[in-house]
């Protein structure tokens, strides 16, 4: 499904080159549930962004359903993301001037397959799944940290994507709410979705069928 | 030291009033180490912001070292914060156009007691305590989530404040880095500083000498 071979990532910072991913090779199969764990700064988000077609590696090959992503334009990468991937950002990336509901339904606007759907109903459904039915018209700055996180989760689910990439989805959640979110992800996995989460929470990591450990930019 | 009596907080949202804190009364003493725990959305950040003089209650009395904060102007509250409180925000609040080091030393500019100090040295010292000596010139968008969190922690410590208020200080950190941060806070507590943390992490909560549980805006 998703195949990384010899992936490197180097940031050019003026006179210095900072390499953050070294020769990463991974295979992820349909309906896998993978957890990526490792120390702060070790390269997990950088790796997930490449998997999500949000960023390009400096070298190496990334095959997405058999197609070489390196040969695609930025518009093509954007189309792949909108159609097939739901992404939950570590820092949420909510739009301040839009309500929770408006934020959740935003991906529907970019997707051709939802032209005839009721956006509001799909959005309310996803907000209900994350326990936020009573906060749909709040703006991000009128929500708690964990509520903002859950809006970001709901938004990643609204297009019913085949692949869900979750960067620290429970970092701001108490253990009960965190359990609810993990149940939700497990259900989606049972329905056949491929799930990749980055997490610092061992209980979350243990829910996965496979754990990938990263240290200093390498898979160990 | 810090005394809350009958604190209520109500947000006015158009036609609706949303009450998020109900009749909260607490005493916090010098050199206490307090953890505040509770579900997402229960009112913890709202409570900590009032304790920090970042926000005002809708009703009730807040005595800060025996002085009624409700009688103080916004400038006076600001002065109290700069002089006596170090605050770690749940969403970090780093300034994007400033480097890690510049962000860390910002509170020194507002404080009269550091006029003759070497700001750069104080900043580097704090960044070293949180393990970021090799990231001092990175901008926030060139840092991982956990690195941004640690810059926010370092910034809260640079003025050597008597009171440290930490809203989810380890939410984005792996367990080893999280332990390092908790050791740092315990050391500061041993030196006589008063520490109040909000946390979803039971291991962090257990480090405190006292736990305050919040549910639906009430202390339970
Ligand atoms: N400006 C605002 N206007 C309206 N409601 C608000 C506002 N700020 C916060 N709230 C609401 O107040 C409640 C408490 O928020 P608070 O941020 O204190 O929760 P919390 O306990 O810190 O949650 P978390 O663990 O998710 O960070 C939430 O239900 C939130 O939706
Ligand atoms: N734009 C950038 N320029 C330079 N360095 C960067 C940039 N973005 C990230 N880095 C560095 O790359 C390394 C990996 O960052 P990444 O965000 O992938 O870490 P992470 O494993 O997700 O960490 P965390 O658990 O703290 O979120 C970090 O050391 C970071 O400082
Ligand atoms: Mg990260
Ligand atoms: Mg909070």
């Amino acid at each position: 499904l998703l195949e990384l071979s010899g992936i490197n990532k180097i940031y050019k910072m003026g006179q210095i080159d900072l390499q953050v991913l070294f020769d990463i090779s991974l295979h992820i199969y349909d309906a896998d549930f993978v957890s990526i764990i490792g120390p702060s700064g070790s390269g997990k988000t950088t790796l997930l962004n490449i998997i999500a077609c949000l960023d390009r590696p400096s070298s190496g090959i990334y095959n997405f359903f058999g197609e070489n992503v390196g040969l695609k334009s930025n518009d093509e990468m954007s189309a792949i993301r909108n159609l097939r991937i739901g992404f939950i950002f570590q820092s949420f990336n909510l739009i301040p001037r839009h309500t929770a509901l408006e934020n959740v339904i935003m991906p529907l606007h970019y997707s051709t397959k939802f032209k005839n759907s009721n956006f509001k109903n799909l959005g309310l459904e996803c907000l209900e799944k994350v326990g936020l039915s009573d906060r749909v018209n709040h703006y991000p700055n009128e929500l708690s940290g964990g509520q903002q996180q859950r809006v970001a989760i709901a938004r990643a689910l609204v297009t019913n994507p085949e692949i869900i990439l979750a960067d620290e989805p429970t970092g701001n959640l108490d253990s009960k709410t965190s359990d609810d979110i993990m149940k939700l992800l497990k259900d989606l996995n049972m329905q056949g979705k491929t799930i990749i989460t980055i997490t610092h929470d061992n209980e979350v990591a243990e829910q996965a069928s496979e754990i990938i450990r990263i240290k200093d930019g390498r898979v160990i």
Side-chain angles (χ1 to χ4, degrees), chain A residues 11 13 18 20 39-46 90 168 200:
Chain A
Y11 288 108
M13 305 190 72
L18 181 67
V20 309
S40 174
S42 55
K44 307 177 297 295
T45 293
T46 304
Q90 187 169 7
E168 304 282 352
H200 287 308

Side-chain angles (χ1 to χ4, degrees), chain A residues 177-202:
Chain A
T177 313
S178 182
D179 285 348
D180 295 342
I181 294 302
M182 289 320 292
K183 276 204 201 73
L184 176 55
L185 292 179
K186 294 200 80 159
D187 281 349
L188 291 164
N189 185 237
M190 289 295 115
Q191 294 170 33
K193 312 223 178 288
T194 307
I195 316 265
I196 307 174
T197 67
I198 293 171
T199 183
H200 287 308
D201 186 334
N202 280 327

Side-chain angles (χ1 to χ4, degrees), chain A residues 2-17:
Chain A
L2 310 179
E3 194 180 334
L4 284 74
S5 315
I7 295 289
N8 293 289
K9 182 72 184 181
I10 301 166
Y11 288 108
K12 304 208 169 302
M13 305 190 72
Q15 308 222 342
I16 310 170
D17 276 357

Side-chain angles (χ1 to χ4, degrees), chain A residues 60-78:
Chain A
I61 305 280
Y62 176 27
N63 281 323
F64 184 89
F65 290 88
E67 298 189 56
N68 184 343
V69 177
L71 304 177
K72 298 193 179 298
S73 70
N74 288 346
D75 283 351
E76 287 172 310
M77 281 171 79
S78 195

Side-chain angles (χ1 to χ4, degrees), chain A residues 11-83:
Chain A
Y11 288 108
K12 304 208 169 302
M13 305 190 72
Q15 308 222 342
I16 310 170
D17 276 357
L18 181 67
Q19 184 152 359
V20 309
L21 294 180
F22 297 79
D23 197 31
I24 300 226
S25 297
L26 293 177
H27 291 234
I28 296 182
Y29 302 93
D30 203 18
D32 269 357
F33 192 146
V34 177
S35 270
I36 299 174
I37 64 179
S40 174
S42 55
K44 307 177 297 295
T45 293
T46 304
L47 175 59
L48 200 71
N49 286 346
I50 288 169
I51 292 172
C53 301
L54 277 167
D55 191 16
R56 294 181 186 276
S58 306
S59 62
I61 305 280
Y62 176 27
N63 281 323
F64 184 89
F65 290 88
E67 298 189 56
N68 184 343
V69 177
L71 304 177
K72 298 193 179 298
S73 70
N74 288 346
D75 283 351
E76 287 172 310
M77 281 171 79
S78 195
I80 288 175
R81 286 200 308 275
N82 293 333
L83 209 59

Side-chain angles (χ1 to χ4, degrees), chain A residues 76-132:
Chain A
E76 287 172 310
M77 281 171 79
S78 195
I80 288 175
R81 286 200 308 275
N82 293 333
L83 209 59
R84 312 186 80 161
I85 295 174
F87 196 98
I88 302 163
F89 291 86
Q90 187 169 7
S91 53
F92 320 151
N93 292 18
L94 302 183
I95 315 285
R97 295 232 192 103
H98 286 277
T99 63
L101 180 58
E102 289 163 353
N103 266 281
V104 170
I105 65 178
M106 214 155 280
L108 297 171
H109 290 293
Y110 296 106
S111 175
T112 44
K113 69 178 177 178
F114 289 94
K115 271 218 217 82
N116 301 317
S117 310
N118 184 323
F119 285 12
K120 186 175 177 187
N121 286 352
L122 290 175
L124 289 175
E125 207 174 303
C126 288
L127 282 164
E128 186 183 3
K129 285 186 187 151
V130 298
L132 288 179

